């Protein structure tokens, strides 16, 4: 049967897991070559939403999913998971209680995919600062202020376009991925 104490324990252990994954990525990112492969974004996203289900429940929230099936792209699985997890984690942290977190994934055209996370939350005060190290708009909500910095680094090196819309009605983070972006995750600039 449903037990709020077990739900909270599971939620806490999963929160520790995704924080560990972020820290592990930060430690390794400059020493590991994150090679790309063809991934089923739809399936990865559904699995990550399942992972976060207990955390969402324990925060009195729920998901509304609009995920197109068979959405594929060329990307690194570790980096894609960091983008997904940090967006879902922030959505959980900043959403108003008893509200929905809208998750959307679909093909825009033959070359691009759009992934978005939409919440009912306070408007973002300074959208220019949210990608800075250790910046948090609400100090009471936990976290280290590193998640969106990780997301921005991954998106920048993979040419993913980020768009943020935030007003009194909703906050929306949108990511536009190229399906076949053929860059490696490490880029070297040789200046002589």
């Amino acid at each position: 049967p449903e037990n709020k104490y077990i739900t909270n324990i599971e939620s806490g252990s999963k929160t520790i897991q995704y924080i560990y994954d972020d820290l592990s990525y930060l430690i390794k990112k400059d020493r590991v070559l994150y090679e790309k492969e063809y991934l089923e974004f739809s399936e990865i996203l559904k699995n990550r939403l399942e992972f976060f289900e207990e955390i969402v429940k324990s925060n009195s929230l729920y998901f509304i999913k609009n995920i197109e099936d068979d959405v594929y792209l060329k990307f690194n699985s570790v980096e894609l998971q960091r983008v997904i997890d940090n967006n879902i984690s922030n959505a959980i942290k900043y959403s108003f209680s008893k509200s929905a977190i809208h998750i959307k994934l679909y093909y825009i055209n033959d070359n691009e995919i759009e992934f978005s996370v939409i919440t009912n939350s306070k408007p973002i005060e300074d959208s220019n600062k949210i990608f800075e190290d250790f910046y948090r708009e609400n100090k009471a909500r936990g976290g280290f202020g590193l998640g969106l910095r990780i997301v921005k680094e991954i998106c920048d090196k993979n040419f993913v376009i980020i768009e943020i819309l935030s007003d009194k009605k909703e906050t929306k983070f949108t990511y536009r991925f190229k399906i076949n972006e053929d860059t490696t995750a490490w880029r070297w600039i040789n200046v002589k």
Side-chain angles (χ1 to χ4, degrees), residues 6 33-34 37 47 51 61 64-65 76 86 90-91 108 112 122 173 185:
I6 292 173
L33 178 62
Y34 289 97
E37 59 186 310
N47 289 336
F51 174 86
L61 301 166
I64 294 179
K65 306 167 198 168
N76 176 268
N86 279 298
N90 280 349
I108 298 170
E112 296 176 302
K122 286 184 180 177
F173 280 77

Side-chain angles (χ1 to χ4, degrees), residues 23-68:
L23 295 174
S24 176
Y25 177 79
L26 281 171
I27 290 167
K28 296 176 186 175
K29 71 182 173 76
D30 295 325
R31 295 180 285 166
V32 173
L33 178 62
Y34 289 97
E35 296 197 31
K36 295 183 178 190
E37 59 186 310
Y38 281 101
L39 305 171
E40 187 177 355
F41 198 152
S42 314
E43 208 49 44
I44 292 169
L45 180 55
K46 288 174 188 174
N47 289 336
R48 297 318 295 162
L49 291 173
E50 190 175 308
F51 174 86
F52 279 95
E53 195 64 49
E54 297 297 330
I55 303 171
V56 166
K57 273 187 206 170
S58 70
N59 282 275
S60 301
L61 301 166
Y62 58 98
F63 289 125
I64 294 179
K65 306 167 198 168
N66 186 357
I67 300 169
E68 195 173 310

Side-chain angles (χ1 to χ4, degrees), residues 166-178:
S166 186
D167 57 30
K168 290 179 182 173
K169 185 181 169 203
E170 66 184 21
T171 295
K172 181 178 183 181
F173 280 77
T174 303
Y175 298 87
R176 186 172 287 193
F177 294 79
K178 297 275 188 207

Side-chain angles (χ1 to χ4, degrees), residues 138-149:
N138 182 344
K139 308 284 190 259
R141 295 300 295 160
F144 300 105
L146 294 171
L148 285 179
R149 179 70 191 138

Side-chain angles (χ1 to χ4, degrees), residues 18 21-23 25-26 34 36 39 41 44-46 48-49 51-52 63 73-93 101-105 113-118 131 146-164 173-178 185:
Y18 77 74
D21 289 344
D22 269 351
L23 295 174
Y25 177 79
L26 281 171
Y34 289 97
K36 295 183 178 190
L39 305 171
F41 198 152
I44 292 169
L45 180 55
K46 288 174 188 174
R48 297 318 295 162
L49 291 173
F51 174 86
F52 279 95
F63 289 125
L73 83 164
K74 191 172 185 182
F75 214 82
N76 176 268
S77 61
V78 171
E79 292 184 325
L80 185 60
Q81 185 175 318
R82 299 292 13 99
V83 171
I84 293 168
D85 285 10
N86 279 298
N87 276 278
I88 295 171
S89 167
N90 280 349
I92 293 167
K93 276 184 215 164
I101 298 171
H102 297 265
I103 307 291
K104 296 181 180 181
L105 177 69
I113 294 167
E114 188 166 290
F115 164 58
S116 62
V117 179
I118 307 158
F131 293 108
L146 294 171
L148 285 179
R149 179 70 191 138
I150 292 169
V151 168
K152 178 129 175 42
E153 279 184 19
I154 292 168
C155 289
D156 285 352
K157 75 180 174 183
N158 291 287
F159 305 104
V160 177
I161 297 167
I162 304 171
E163 183 177 276
I164 303 166
F173 280 77
T174 303
Y175 298 87
R176 186 172 287 193
F177 294 79
K178 297 275 188 207

